[in-house]
Amino acid sequence: MERPLTDNLRADGQPLSLREYMGCGGYKALGDALRGLAPADVTKAVKDSRLRGRGGAGFPTGLKWSFIETGPGAPEPRYVVCNADEMEPGTFKDKVLLLGNPHLLIEGILLAGYAVQAQAGYIFLRGEYAEAGRRVQVAIEEAYENRYVGRNILRSDFSFDLHLHMSAGRYMCGEETGLLNALEGRRANPRGKPPYPASVGLWGKPTVVNNVETLCCVPHILRNGADAFLKLSKTSDGGTKLYGVSGKVKHPGIWELPMGTSLREIIEEHAGGMQEGLGLRAVIPGGASTEFVLEKDLDIPMDFDSLKQVKSRMGTGTVIVLDDQTCPVSMVWNLEQFFAQESCGWCTPCWAGLAWVAETLFAIEHGGGKPEDLDILDMHVNLLGPPGHTFCALAPGAIEPLESALRHFRDEFVRHIEQKHCPYMARQSAAGVE
Amino acid sequence: MLSEEVKRKIEKETRIYPTKQAACIEALTTVQREQGWVDDAALTEIAGLLEMTPDELDGVATFYNLVFRRRVGRHVILVCNSVSCWVMGYDSIRAHLEQTLGIRLGETTADGRFTLLPIVCLGACDHAPAMMIDLELHGDLTAEKVDAILARYV
């Protein structure tokens, strides 16, 4: 099968140079678009390809771009921001592209910039990805030197500046409006919506924010057409998907597969199944803020719509496996500890509620749980789960693993409370107790 | 006092943004690369360069995981405690680090060699459990491997 995101990656793990990228047809889509396509045609091709955002929310990319007002009198400057803040626990897919083919990302950003007639772009990269930062910076400089970025790109009328912003680490920076605040040199608190970034974004200007993998899909769409992109997929959404697996499987890793590949195929064929002596109990399909899916449901296709049938989401597409010897209550405690810590403190239900959830789970896991603690957890599911009680999706996302754990593993919570200890003997204690 | 070179780097960074404030994260990390952490004097000086108040800049500095507003050791160990590393044995790696170094999370060794801190997911889940030392990634950790790695940071 064709793998537009990873086919050209070098075997030695080094990034493709500009020359190597061009040798694989790189920047051809950009040149053709600048010479022969109107900006609206680029957006239309992306709409027709049914590309949906790979950062987790799955919003249609072409539609997002179409919200940007262009033409005479439209507000300027306009910005394209690449969200490379990959901080969702269990997620390590964008790193593959950032390390292996930064020019693919740059070409995607340039095509997005041309489509919305933007003047500048920023790659917002998490500080821990220091090596990726070095490689992206080298690629940006190469692109400037060869006139793929800067004034009058490839002698066209289109000019676009591109910069790398190294962040300093905080989960909230991955939230679209928190990211914009961080980029402006502020705390990454979320902004109220509306207005959406498409109208009032970076420094109050119209801004498109897209994930790394999303932008890396765009050159293929322009080079081969929307139909070819659609045909890569097993579903009605276009393209391939970078799927990943971590946990106690034989071969954790990342693979580019057709959108809609089943969870079972990803885990059993690509990740090699479970380590010897362990069974698979459930998975979190797409990063920490998605709902547990039980083993019996693994034949479900991994795509944006199918997972709704089992009350979950594809999220980032990177699967975390829960084996049959790891305590699910303890795992949920680890997850909620993360969300409580990373809550930015802006909305009271989030910072107060998630801390309460984490403390309650701590008590249950360590033998101090009371029967009414389950009511407390259920209350938080109802108060924090539905959107609209907080400015951003951090709290609703935090509730997804909790709600599904209470649904699937309720008897485990009850056993902890009744026996006053963790039945798994808690060889592991979750993070950050002290 | 910030060195002329650091000031030059900060000034250069301000040129890629329409406001000076936007360069503040890079300014803080630039100073930190130079002197290990950001003390009050450096913070005040950076704030002046970027036309922010020191309190405003401190509000930003204290928000981010990788900006240190307290003295740290020569090497900072960031050990991942997020879910994939936790499943793969974070707890025993943390215990081994604490025992070997004789400190707990958040502390610095008496000789000033290491500071041990927890960190959220490093995006190295296929090589869990993982840690970073001075932004250099180490994965597939075992107790023996941790010992060999620590020996390289003097």
Side-chain angles (χ1 to χ4, degrees), chain A residues 169-366:
Chain A
R170 197 68 197 265
Y171 180 61
M172 264 306 296
C173 296
E175 198 275 337
E176 194 169 66
T177 61
L179 184 153
L180 296 177
N181 278 336
L183 197 43
E184 292 180 8
R186 306 170 197 277
R187 294 166 80 94
N189 296 326
R191 298 176 180 177
K193 288 167 280 204
Y196 290 90
S199 48
V200 182
L202 195 57
W203 295 294
K205 301 297 182 183
T207 304
V208 159
V209 184
N210 286 134
N211 163 264
V212 172
E213 185 186 349
T214 311
L215 288 162
C216 286
C217 289
V218 174
H220 180 276
I221 295 167
L222 271 296
R223 204 159 55 227
N224 303 288
D227 284 344
F229 190 74
L230 273 166
K231 284 189 186 126
L232 294 169
S233 165
K234 293 182 173 179
T235 73
S236 59
D237 294 318
T240 55
K241 177 77 191 79
L242 290 181
Y243 294 113
V245 179
S246 65
K248 292 186 177 169
V249 292
K250 286 202 181 88
H251 309 294
I254 295 282
W255 308 273
E256 183 181 4
L257 300 169
M259 177 69 85
T261 302
S262 77
L263 269 168
R264 194 176 298 283
E265 181 188 327
I266 296 166
I267 294 165
E268 292 181 1
E269 289 182 29
H270 301 284
M274 299 302 290
Q275 292 178 4
E276 290 308 322
L278 293 175
L280 186 151
R281 184 162 190 190
V283 301
I284 298 181
S289 55
T290 57
E291 296 92 337
F292 283 94
V293 173
L294 295 176
E295 200 280 341
K296 67 179 175 66
D297 292 322
L298 290 189
D299 291 310
I300 203 107
M302 269 283 268
D303 62 59
F304 293 110
D305 295 326
S306 300
L307 281 161
K308 289 180 192 162
Q309 296 163 29
V310 291
K311 288 191 177 172
S312 188
R313 294 191 304 124
M314 179 168 76
T316 59
T318 41
V319 180
I320 307 159
V321 172
L322 168 66
D323 60 82
D324 59 2
Q325 290 176 32
T326 296
C327 173
V329 174
S330 195
M331 183 164 171
V332 174
W333 170 45
N334 174 277
L335 291 164
E336 299 307 323
Q337 183 78 20
F338 165 83
F339 288 114
Q341 174 192 306
E342 291 298 312
S343 170
C344 74
W346 191 245
C347 310
T348 305
C350 179
W351 69 257
L354 292 177
W356 194 356
V357 165
E359 278 173 31
T360 306
L361 289 166
F362 173 88
I364 295 173
E365 172 62 20
H366 292 84

Side-chain angles (χ1 to χ4, degrees), chain B residues 84-131:
Chain B
S84 300
C85 282
W86 175 81
V87 167
M88 297 302 288
Y90 153 77
D91 204 51
S92 65
I93 295 300
R94 185 210 57 189
H96 182 74
L97 280 164
E98 288 184 332
Q99 198 175 12
T100 307
L101 300 172
I103 53 173
R104 307 190 70 183
L105 290 178
E107 295 178 351
T108 300
T109 54
D111 60 1
R113 185 170 161 213
F114 288 113
T115 295
L116 181 63
L117 297 171
I119 191 78
V120 294
C121 185
L122 292 169
C125 319
D126 49 344
H127 294 287
M131 66 177 179

Side-chain angles (χ1 to χ4, degrees), chain A residues 401-416:
Chain A
L402 176 66
E403 179 276 324
S404 54
L406 289 165
R407 180 157 38 93
H408 294 313
F409 312 124
R410 200 163 191 98
D411 53 333
E412 296 276 9
F413 288 84
V414 171
R415 272 171 69 201
H416 278 71

